Amino acid sequence: MRHGKKVNHLSRQAGHRKSMLANMACSLIEHKRINTTVAKAKALKQFVEPLVTKSKEDTTHNRRIVFSYLRNKYAVTELFREVSAKVGDRPGGYTRIIKLGNRLGDNADMAMIEFVDFNELYNAAKKEAKKTTRRGRTKKAATTAEAPAAEAPAVDTEENKETTE
């Protein structure tokens, strides 16, 4: 039984796994989305989300902690400047995993992992769909708009003329 064993070892030893996740996290921070296998994407999500949470508070201590994981000062700078500015108000769930299908070579399940706030296609659709609720004014405006339309005079047609004669 595997009680309490939450780490996916990805068929690698600890040093290789940490280096691979650090490199993938640096690529994700730089490009904002990467394609990888589903298992690696899930492991990367667990690896990078605490780092993004730490980047929300820009202190020297947090920068050093994040640098100890990423080992790339350009990625740390990008994370603390651009990424943390966009996710400042989000309470968690900074990344999204989208399954892409199977790879042609070895039939591995592929996925795209991306930062949620950097995808303009999904965010633009949600912003346009949002409506404001102003109940008092909309009811009054709707009733005043319908009233003049109802009071418009009826147009005389041939059928109306025949029935009146």
Side-chain angles (χ1 to χ4, degrees), residues 6 15-16 25 31 47 71 84 119 127 162:
K6 295 180 181 178
H16 185 191
H31 300 291
F47 182 83
R71 299 188 294 272
S84 67
N119 190 332
K127 288 181 183 176
E162 292 175 2

Side-chain angles (χ1 to χ4, degrees), residues 8 10 12 20-21 24 34-45 97-103 106-113:
N8 187 355
L10 300 172
R12 287 163 174 80
M20 182 189 67
L21 289 174
M24 289 174 65
I34 56 172
N35 291 338
T36 182
T37 62
V38 173
K40 287 180 186 175
K42 289 180 180 179
L44 180 61
K45 184 174 182 129
I97 296 175
I98 301 171
K99 294 185 180 178
L100 299 176
N102 295 342
R103 188 161 48 197
D106 59 354
N107 206 32
D109 291 332
M110 297 299 289
M112 177 177 64
I113 182 168

Side-chain angles (χ1 to χ4, degrees), residues 5-137:
K5 297 186 178 183
K6 295 180 181 178
V7 176
N8 187 355
H9 295 291
L10 300 172
S11 299
R12 287 163 174 80
Q13 294 187 1
H16 185 191
R17 184 173 56 251
K18 288 177 185 175
S19 296
M20 182 189 67
L21 289 174
N23 290 334
M24 289 174 65
C26 291
S27 296
L28 178 64
I29 291 167
E30 180 184 351
H31 300 291
K32 310 302 185 258
R33 76 172 53 135
I34 56 172
N35 291 338
T36 182
T37 62
V38 173
K40 287 180 186 175
K42 289 180 180 179
L44 180 61
K45 184 174 182 129
Q46 288 180 342
F47 182 83
V48 81
E49 295 230 357
L51 302 180
V52 176
T53 303
K54 290 218 180 295
S55 74
K56 289 164 89 173
E57 185 180 351
D58 191 4
T59 62
T60 306
H61 183 63
N62 283 347
R63 280 182 179 262
R64 287 178 177 167
I65 289 173
V66 171
F67 181 77
S68 71
Y69 283 95
L70 295 180
R71 299 188 294 272
N72 185 343
K73 65 181 180 180
Y74 301 109
V76 172
T77 304
E78 178 92 5
L79 179 66
F80 276 85
R81 282 191 185 157
E82 292 183 19
V83 177
S84 67
K86 282 222 176 184
V87 301
D89 57 340
R90 184 177 289 274
Y94 310 111
T95 57
R96 166 190 302 132
I97 296 175
I98 301 171
K99 294 185 180 178
L100 299 176
N102 295 342
R103 188 161 48 197
L104 289 177
D106 59 354
N107 206 32
D109 291 332
M110 297 299 289
M112 177 177 64
I113 182 168
E114 65 181 1
F115 283 117
V116 173
D117 293 314
F118 285 92
N119 190 332
E120 301 301 326
L121 297 175
Y122 286 141
N123 293 342
K126 290 182 181 178
K127 288 181 183 176
E128 292 173 4
K130 185 178 179 183
K131 296 181 180 179
T132 59
T133 55
R134 297 173 56 186
R135 297 182 182 196
R137 293 188 181 198

